[in-house]
Amino acid sequence: MNVSESIRIALRALGANKLRAILTMLGVIIGVGAVIALMAIGRGAQLQITSSIESLGTNLLFIQPGAQQQQSNVRAAQGTQQTLTFDDAQAIQNQLGKSLLTGVSAERVVPGAQLIVGNQNVNSRITGVTPDYENVHNFHTVEGSFVTDAQLAARDRVIVLGSNVATNLFGDQDPIGQTIRVSTFGRSGAVLRVIGIMESKGGSVQNLDDQSFVPLTTVAARLQPARNLRAAELVSTITVSVVTQDQVDAAIDAIASVIRQQHRVAQDDFTILSQRDFLQQLTQITGVFTAFLGAIAGISLVVGGIGIMNIMLVSVTERTREIGIRKAVGAKARDILSQFLVEAVVVSVLGGALGVGLGASISGVASRFQLNGQSIPSVVALDSVLLAFTVAAAIGLFFGIYPAMRAARLNPIDALRYE
């Protein structure tokens, strides 16, 4: 008996018991649908995080302070040792120039800041910046202007607001030219003039629209003075944009050499991380997360396979006389075996096809819901569809082996006498 004939007989047998066939396929449908939907959501989250990081700029290097040595030779986390200064950023820019770098942004974060306008107040993450911040991070103003070199040199009392901060403080009013009182850790701080509003950018890890930007020198003079033993202004991070991706490794070596000369240390007291490193780490984490979701959903496929085996055993019992007649007229054991195997695979494949449609529908609906004001796009990839479809067929084949072998081993005389 050829395969097409076996498929025709299998479809006729399923058509004779439509409700039972649908209930048998239900486990496979739910299993495949769950695998498709969860893997689509996982991949959508991965793409969203990747695009969020890439939107911060391209070919970026992040220079951070090293770890502080504590008691018993235990080192704290990276960034706890305040070693980077504004002078380091200027040295990098002056010595490496435009041939290797497109911008150098020195940054200083001021935690616990509160912006006050009249009876309105907003907690905001204030970052002290240099003019290069705008281009290095690909984050621009939509109204007014960003921090300028003249304002940086003069330590001007100016501030650029994130879009959410501007809306929360001023509503529909025009913030440009208005003044804001800044309070840090409950202490009254400086009064700053609004000169610009940043574009709305959001963010999957940290909402960039909740930030505000002040000249780095103003932060050091007015909000939170911090200097090292050589009276140099400390910074939290130095972000560098490299001309091309191919020059990233060369830029890391060159920057490290410049900072070693600046600090005159035998052991590096800083760390250089690349945007590529962040993306690789996040890709690995989200990849494991997506595979884990798919594996959990795959359990329901096993349950569906057990359902197929159960129904196939019932089918063998019900069709015992049919099996006996077929053997009596010359059907071999392998013909009976292939017939029931094909029937089990047809059930699982049809269930898999319906499950793919169900999973795609669920992922499409899930992408419309919002989490923390943001929707997670679902990406139904071809490889996940093929994987789920193949696993469904394999499960039908695996769980159909025992019923098919049981049918093939029936004694034709006993089968003909079965009532």
Side-chain angles (χ1 to χ4, degrees):
M1 184 186 300
N2 57 34
V3 176
S4 60
E5 181 68 15
S6 298
I7 293 175
R8 187 182 64 81
I9 294 174
L11 291 174
R12 186 174 62 188
L14 294 174
N17 297 279
K18 295 182 178 65
L19 180 60
R20 188 171 72 183
I22 292 173
L23 293 175
T24 303
M25 289 187 291
L26 192 59
V28 178
I29 293 172
I30 294 173
V32 172
V35 169
I36 296 295
L38 290 178
M39 292 190 71
I41 293 172
R43 292 201 173 188
Q46 178 179 352
L47 288 177
Q48 187 179 44
I49 293 173
T50 301
S51 63
S52 178
I53 292 177
E54 290 178 342
S55 69
L56 298 177
T58 57
N59 307 327
L60 297 184
L61 297 177
F62 306 94
I63 309 166
Q64 298 178 341
Q68 187 173 10
Q69 189 78 24
Q70 296 183 337
Q71 295 180 353
S72 302
N73 292 324
V74 177
R75 297 183 70 85
Q78 292 291 339
T80 55
Q81 186 179 14
Q82 294 186 334
T83 56
L84 294 180
T85 67
F86 185 33
D87 293 341
D88 296 333
Q90 290 178 315
I92 292 170
Q93 191 165 29
N94 294 334
Q95 295 186 34
L96 301 185
K98 298 295 183 181
S99 60
L100 193 59
L101 310 177
T102 59
V104 179
S105 171
E107 301 151 27
R108 169 95 178 282
V109 176
V110 181
Q114 190 175 41
L115 308 185
I116 304 169
V117 176
N119 60 353
Q120 300 292 328
N121 63 82
V122 172
N123 291 323
S124 176
R125 180 174 180 262
I126 289 183
T127 304
V129 297
T130 59
D132 273 354
Y133 181 96
E134 190 176 20
N135 293 324
V136 167
H137 289 275
N138 190 29
F139 194 17
H140 305 282
T141 57
V142 290
E143 294 182 42
S145 62
F146 198 69
V147 175
T148 64
D149 289 318
Q151 291 166 342
L152 184 72
R155 303 176 186 268
D156 278 356
R157 300 185 185 187
V158 295
I159 186 170
V160 180
L161 303 180
S163 59
N164 286 349
V165 179
T167 301
N168 292 334
L169 285 176
F170 295 96
D172 296 332
Q173 299 180 19
D174 184 10
I176 305 299
Q178 302 290 332
T179 57
I180 292 177
R181 184 163 56 90
V182 179
S183 174
T184 56
F185 295 104
R187 299 191 304 269
S188 179
V191 175
L192 306 179
R193 177 172 52 88
V194 179
I195 61 170
I197 307 298
M198 302 300 292
E199 63 185 335
S200 180
K201 204 165 189 177
S204 57
V205 179
Q206 182 180 27
N207 195 334
L208 300 177
D209 300 335
D210 292 331
Q211 296 186 86
S212 300
F213 304 95
V214 174
L216 180 64
T217 52
T218 304
V219 168
R222 313 289 184 186
L223 299 180
Q224 195 180 58
R227 297 175 179 270
N228 63 7
L229 296 178
R230 297 193 298 271
E233 297 172 355
L234 295 172
V235 298
S236 306
T237 306
I238 300 174
T239 307
V240 175
S241 177
V242 185
V243 174
T244 64
Q245 181 68 39
D246 296 335
Q247 294 176 292
V248 167
D249 292 332
I252 291 175
D253 294 337
I255 291 170
S257 177
V258 171
I259 299 179
R260 290 189 193 107
Q261 292 175 5
Q262 286 287 115
H263 292 186
R264 301 185 181 91
V265 292
Q267 185 176 1
D268 290 348
D269 56 358
F270 59 91
T271 302
I272 302 177
L273 300 174
S274 69
Q275 190 179 42
R276 178 182 55 197
D277 296 333
F278 282 118
L279 287 175
Q280 288 176 348
Q281 291 175 3
L282 284 172
T283 300
Q284 291 176 353
I285 293 171
T286 53
V288 171
F289 174 70
T290 302
F292 180 69
L293 290 178
I296 292 176
I299 295 174
S300 57
L301 275 175
V302 177
V303 176
I306 294 173
I308 290 175
M309 183 171 67
N310 183 40
I311 295 301
M312 291 305 297
L313 287 173
V314 173
S315 179
V316 169
T317 302
E318 289 180 346
R319 295 158 64 185
T320 299
R321 285 181 61 82
E322 175 192 333
I323 295 169
I325 293 172
R326 292 192 63 200
K327 283 194 169 186
V329 296
K332 296 185 173 68
R334 66 171 178 269
D335 296 325
I336 304 299
L337 178 69
S338 64
Q339 176 189 340
F340 282 90
L341 274 180
V342 168
E343 189 169 326
V345 172
V346 167
V347 170
S348 60
V349 168
L350 288 176
L354 294 174
V356 169
L358 176 65
S361 301
I362 292 174
S363 62
V365 172
S367 63
R368 298 178 183 177
F369 289 95
Q370 292 191 342
L371 183 64
N372 293 330
Q374 290 187 333
S375 60
I376 299 178
S378 299
V379 180
V380 181
L382 179 61
D383 57 348
S384 62
V385 173
L386 293 177
L387 175 64
F389 204 74
T390 303
V391 170
I395 282 178
L397 182 63
F398 176 78
F399 284 98
I401 288 177
Y402 176 70
M405 291 181 63
R406 184 171 176 176
R409 289 173 180 172
L410 283 176
N411 187 296
I413 297 176
D414 294 335
L416 288 170
R417 292 170 57 188
Y418 182 82
E419 294 292 340

